[in-house]
């Protein structure tokens, strides 16, 4: 599609801007009043589930709201949340809303210095602390001015404890009705470069997004969510917490990483959201028990194939799943095809913190392989490509701006559109593809620009590859740094080398000459959040990768596949 044609291809329904939508609190009041005895939240203990009805959730949230208001904070005071997902996370979030304060969720894997920056930047007066893998490493990031409230789990020392506050305070009697433009939460971005930015979202943003998502998917009160991705990430907050409040469906939480698989099998959710790395791990788990050649053979047998596929879905915990979504990072087409064959069509979604993850999604009813979905799929959402090739969004889901940063707000919000920083194209039928990241593109020594994302996607189709980062700024040709998957680590080096050489040759046949990959380096240490190679949302920090492997990158390697540790 031409630039002019692309710019004109926008989503439908923009005329609805300014429409009124019920806020998350109004939806909560509805279920609290109409079905107080129906179970809303289910928290795994590792040996069973503790259940919370809508009435019990309301009672606890209202008692905690009374405790918060007793501190005398001004309306709009920022209250932080630092915990892995659990039923009490939802309850604490509701309590903050009921008290008239603004929630600031933090990643349960964040480093102490990032926690300190975030809490200082938003001036949080209190913080809920809960389920954390290493609270001792995080505690120093919490300033002494912030009052700590401990969730009912083993956690860091706190000023107040959940059960004590429930015992000491009566439930808040009033049911406040916030305005649509009232600030509800500040969600800090994961910070691939520099400090995190505080994205401000209103009650109206959530009302708009959840109302339309509920109708689109559609979601019903008989559905069942499984919440495990960080609630500090906008996708989980919107897709699970937000949508469960709007459709009235149940939400279950795993007890721990160790109990995750068993909890998922026990729940068998109907709505499931995961990231590509988890889909890869699920696949590897299946193939360790049933090798790919044998699986292919079984699936070709008409009746037996469907029985085998159904058994795999049940053992994964997805036998009832009817809406299955992948997001937060690109997913390989080969992986989508593999799940399709066992009866799990995965819808890839594309959104960001700044538009409350309300972007596009490749739903089965309007599916096109190799795209992120049709630009008209999300109601009342405009999607277009700028003359510079950048993907732009406009809807009532857009943030109010970055907290205390008018300059960066002005840079990304222009004429009502959010500038994503992603490069993309819309085909003649209106389907969106991402072609790269504007800031990630680099210029080789030949003066040619390379967008790494599409090439990384091609390399990732090799099942031996867990993660890949393409580099090449000021080099003659790009180089690829590869972290092997579990399957790759189990293979002999010669087998890995042959496989990656075949991948390199195949990729180089499909890309422009200046994009040809000169060499692969197989890294010895996995890229993790802990070693600062990845953000809490599992995005690779490219600048950090280039810094750590600078000596190898600048060594002038050509036509090689080598290991960091020989």
């Amino acid at each position: 599609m031409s630039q002019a044609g692309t710019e004109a291809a926008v989503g439908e329904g923009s005329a609805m801007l300014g429409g009124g939508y019920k806020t998350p609190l109004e939806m909560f009041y509805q279920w609290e009043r109409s079905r107080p005895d129906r179970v809303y939240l289910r928290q795994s203990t590792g040996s069973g589930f503790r259940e919370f009805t809508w009435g019990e959730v309301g009672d606890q949230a209202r008692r905690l709201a009374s405790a918060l208001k007793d501190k005398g904070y001004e309306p709009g005071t920022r209250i932080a949340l630092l915990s892995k997902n659990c039923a009490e996370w939802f309850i604490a979030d509701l309590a903050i809303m009921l008290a008239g304060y603004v929630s600031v969720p933090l990643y349960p894997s964040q480093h102490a210095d990032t926690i300190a920056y975030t809490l200082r930047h938003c001036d949080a007066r209190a913080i809920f602390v809960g389920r954390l893998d290493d609270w001792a490493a995080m505690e120093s990031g919490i300033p002494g001015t912030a009052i700590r409230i401990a969730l009912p789990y083993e956690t860091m020392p706190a000023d107040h404890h959940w059960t004590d506050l429930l015992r000491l305070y009566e439930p808040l009697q009033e049911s406040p009705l916030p305005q649509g433009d009232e600030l509800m939460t500040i969600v800090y971005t994961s910070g691939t470069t520099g400090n995190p930015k505080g994205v401000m979202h209103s009650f109206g943003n959530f009302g708009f997004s959840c109302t339309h998502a509920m109708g689109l998917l559609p979601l019903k009160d008989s559905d069942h969510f499984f919440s495990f991705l960080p609630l500090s990430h906008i996708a989980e907050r919107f897709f699970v917490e937000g949508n469960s409040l709007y459709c009235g469906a149940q939400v279950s939480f795993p007890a721990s990483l160790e109990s995750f698989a068993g909890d998922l099998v026990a729940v068998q959710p109907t709505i499931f959201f995961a990231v590509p790395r988890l889909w890869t791990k699920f696949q590897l788990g299946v193939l360790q028990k049933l090798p790919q050649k044998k699986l292919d053979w079984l699936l070709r047998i008409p009746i037996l194939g469907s029985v085998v596929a159904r058994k795999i879905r049940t053992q994964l915990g997805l036998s009832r799943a009817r809406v299955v979504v992948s997001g937060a990072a690109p997913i390989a087409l080969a992986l989508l095809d593999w799940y399709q064959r066992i009866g799990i069509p995965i819808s890839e979604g594309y959104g960001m913190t700044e538009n409350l993850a309300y972007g596009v999604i490749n739903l089965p009813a309007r599916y096109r392989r190799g795209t992120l979905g049709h630009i008209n799929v999300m109601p009342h959402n405009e999607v277009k490509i700028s003359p510079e090739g950048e993907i732009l969004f406009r809807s009532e889901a857009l943030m109010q701006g970055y907290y205390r940063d008018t300059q960066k707000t002005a840079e990304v919000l222009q004429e009502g559109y959010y500038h994503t920083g992603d490069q993309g194209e819309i085909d003649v039928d209106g389907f969106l593809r991402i072609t790269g990241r504007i800031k990630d593109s680099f210029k080789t020594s030949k003066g040619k620009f390379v967008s790494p994302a599409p090439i990384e996607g091609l390399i990732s189709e090799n099942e031996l590859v867990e993660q890949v980062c393409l580099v090449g700024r000021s080099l003659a040709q790009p180089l690829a740094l590869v972290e092997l998957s579990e399957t790759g680590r189990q293979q002999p080096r010669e087998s890995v080398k042959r496989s990656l050489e075949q991948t390199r040759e195949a990729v180089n046949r499909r890309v422009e000459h200046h994009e040809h990959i000169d060499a692969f380096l197989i890294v010895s240490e996995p890229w993790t959040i802990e070693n600062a190679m990845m953000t809490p949302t599992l995005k690779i920090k490219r600048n950090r990768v280039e810094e750590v492997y600078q000596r190898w990158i600048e060594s002038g390697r050509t036509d090689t596949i080598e290991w960091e540790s020989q």
Side-chain angles (χ1 to χ4, degrees):
M1 183 179 284
S2 68
Q3 291 255 322
T6 304
E7 193 166 355
V10 298
E12 300 168 341
S14 58
M16 195 176 174
L17 295 176
Y21 300 94
K22 287 187 176 180
T23 66
L25 272 183
E26 288 177 271
M27 295 307 303
F28 171 70
Y29 300 151
Q30 176 179 315
W31 307 125
E32 181 190 36
R33 181 178 61 253
S34 65
R35 52 181 65 172
D37 299 324
R38 183 165 175 172
V39 173
Y40 174 34
L41 306 177
R42 302 175 72 247
Q43 175 63 56
S44 171
T45 62
S47 58
F49 285 85
R50 288 187 293 116
E51 296 186 334
F52 300 78
T53 65
W54 285 99
E56 289 168 338
V57 169
D59 179 76
Q60 291 196 20
R62 289 175 178 278
R63 289 176 186 273
L64 291 166
S66 292
L68 288 172
K69 288 178 73 69
D70 192 44
K71 298 296 180 186
Y73 300 138
E74 292 291 323
T77 293
R78 276 71 61 203
I79 309 293
L81 271 163
L82 177 62
S83 174
K84 297 170 81 170
N85 297 22
C86 58
E88 289 81 6
W89 204 107
F90 276 31
I91 295 171
D93 196 22
L94 287 166
I96 294 168
M97 293 187 227
L98 283 162
Y101 304 137
V102 174
S103 61
V104 182
L106 303 175
Y107 285 93
S109 55
Q110 273 181 328
H111 291 241
D113 55 351
T114 307
I115 292 171
Y117 169 81
T118 303
L119 295 180
R120 285 197 308 269
H121 187 263
C122 73
D123 190 27
R125 302 295 302 279
I127 180 170
F128 285 92
V129 292
R131 298 175 58 223
L132 300 165
D133 290 333
D134 189 8
W135 60 260
M138 301 177 178
E139 188 179 10
S140 63
I142 301 175
T145 53
I147 292 172
R148 301 183 198 176
I149 303 169
L151 272 60
Y153 300 95
E154 183 178 341
T155 189
M156 67 181 68
D159 302 288
H160 303 285
H161 293 268
W162 187 275
T163 51
D164 292 339
L165 295 180
L166 295 183
R167 177 175 50 83
L168 292 171
Y169 286 89
E170 292 298 316
L172 186 73
Q173 293 303 305
E174 58 265 31
S175 296
L177 294 173
Q179 297 297 309
D181 61 357
E182 191 173 322
L183 183 60
M184 173 180 149
T185 188
I186 303 174
V187 181
Y188 279 80
T189 60
S190 54
T192 49
T193 57
N195 288 319
K197 298 185 291 291
V199 176
M200 298 186 290
H201 277 298
S202 68
F203 283 92
N205 292 152
F206 271 81
F208 167 84
S209 303
C210 295
T211 297
H212 290 302
M214 186 174 64
L216 172 70
L217 293 173
L219 301 173
K220 303 171 290 186
D221 62 0
S222 57
D223 277 317
H224 202 137
F225 292 86
F226 189 76
S227 179
F228 67 98
L229 295 174
L231 281 158
S232 44
H233 192 291
I234 197 64
E236 183 82 358
R237 187 94 175 279
F238 156 61
F239 190 74
V240 178
E241 185 190 20
N243 284 327
S244 72
L245 282 169
Y246 278 75
C247 70
Q250 280 187 14
V251 184
S252 289
F253 303 84
S256 63
L257 184 61
E258 291 72 28
S259 74
F260 174 88
D263 290 337
L264 181 57
V265 169
V267 173
Q268 299 286 337
T270 62
I271 314 294
F272 188 72
F273 171 56
V275 294
R277 290 188 76 180
L278 186 67
W279 292 119
T280 299
K281 290 184 184 299
F282 280 174
Q283 180 196 43
L284 293 175
V286 171
L287 296 180
Q288 284 176 351
K289 299 176 183 177
L290 189 61
Q292 188 66 60
K293 286 185 179 179
K294 186 174 182 180
L295 177 60
D296 290 340
W297 177 73
L298 290 170
L299 291 175
R300 283 196 293 268
I301 303 172
I303 297 176
L304 182 59
S306 61
V307 171
V308 169
R310 184 167 60 250
K311 185 175 181 180
I312 293 172
R313 294 196 300 271
T314 300
Q315 290 178 343
L316 288 174
L318 300 176
S319 65
R320 298 196 303 149
R322 63 178 189 84
V323 178
V324 182
V325 177
S326 180
I331 185 170
L333 285 174
L335 196 57
L336 293 173
D337 294 341
W338 188 87
Y339 278 98
Q340 182 75 42
R341 291 191 66 205
I342 61 170
I344 303 176
I346 298 175
S347 299
E348 185 174 9
Y350 167 61
M352 54 284 307
T353 309
E354 287 84 352
N355 70 352
L356 218 149
Y358 193 85
V360 293
I361 187 169
N362 207 10
L363 292 174
R366 203 173 188 179
Y367 182 83
R368 176 161 296 180
R369 188 176 183 276
T371 76
L372 292 163
H374 198 279
I375 59 171
N376 286 346
V377 70
M378 304 295 282
H380 312 295
N381 183 42
E382 294 187 47
V383 187
K384 71 175 185 178
I385 308 296
S386 75
E388 296 74 32
E390 184 177 11
I391 301 171
L392 311 181
F393 283 103
R394 182 167 71 174
S395 76
E396 289 187 63
L398 293 192
M399 66 173 179
Q400 294 179 326
Y402 294 122
Y403 186 63
R404 296 173 60 184
D405 198 335
T406 55
Q407 181 180 339
K408 282 191 171 61
T409 299
E411 289 173 5
V412 300
L413 288 180
Q414 299 176 25
E415 298 180 357
Y417 286 93
Y418 171 65
H419 290 241
T420 64
D422 290 324
Q423 296 171 314
E425 58 187 24
I426 300 170
D427 68 20
V428 292
D429 297 318
F431 287 86
L432 178 68
R433 288 180 177 84
I434 292 179
T435 57
R437 181 82 184 154
I438 291 174
K439 291 183 179 178
D440 288 346
S441 297
F442 56 81
K443 185 189 288 187
T444 67
S445 62
K446 299 173 182 177
K448 297 283 189 176
F449 280 96
V450 176
S451 292
I455 301 171
E456 290 167 345
L458 295 174
I459 297 170
S460 295
E461 291 181 10
N462 187 320
E463 67 172 12
L464 306 185
V465 175
E466 176 77 12
Q467 299 189 90
V468 59
C469 182
L470 197 76
V471 297
R473 198 178 310 277
S474 300
L475 300 179
Q477 294 293 145
L479 309 172
L481 295 104
V482 170
E483 178 192 333
L484 293 179
S485 66
E486 188 174 336
T487 301
R489 292 193 295 272
Q490 294 172 355
Q491 299 287 322
R493 284 194 173 187
E494 280 305 311
S495 297
V496 173
K497 190 171 184 178
R498 281 196 302 272
S499 178
L500 290 180
E501 183 56 48
Q502 291 170 359
T503 292
R504 186 167 76 103
E505 291 173 358
V507 170
N508 285 350
R509 285 195 297 269
R510 295 175 63 178
V511 301
E512 299 290 335
H513 186 269
H514 70 275
E515 298 174 320
H516 283 192
I517 306 162
D518 244 7
F520 277 28
L521 175 69
I522 299 168
V523 303
S524 57
E525 184 180 0
W527 296 336
T528 65
I529 299 167
E530 289 70 28
N531 62 20
M533 301 297 280
M534 302 189 75
T535 72
T537 54
L538 303 181
K539 294 183 178 70
I540 294 172
K541 293 184 176 181
R542 292 182 182 274
N543 57 341
R544 175 68 176 156
V545 170
E546 292 181 0
E547 177 185 317
V548 170
Y549 301 99
Q550 182 178 4
R551 181 175 298 179
W552 183 84
I553 292 169
E554 295 177 349
S555 66
R557 298 291 203 278
T558 59
D559 200 30
T560 64
I561 294 176
E562 58 188 89
W563 273 254
E564 184 182 2
S565 56
Q566 296 294 338

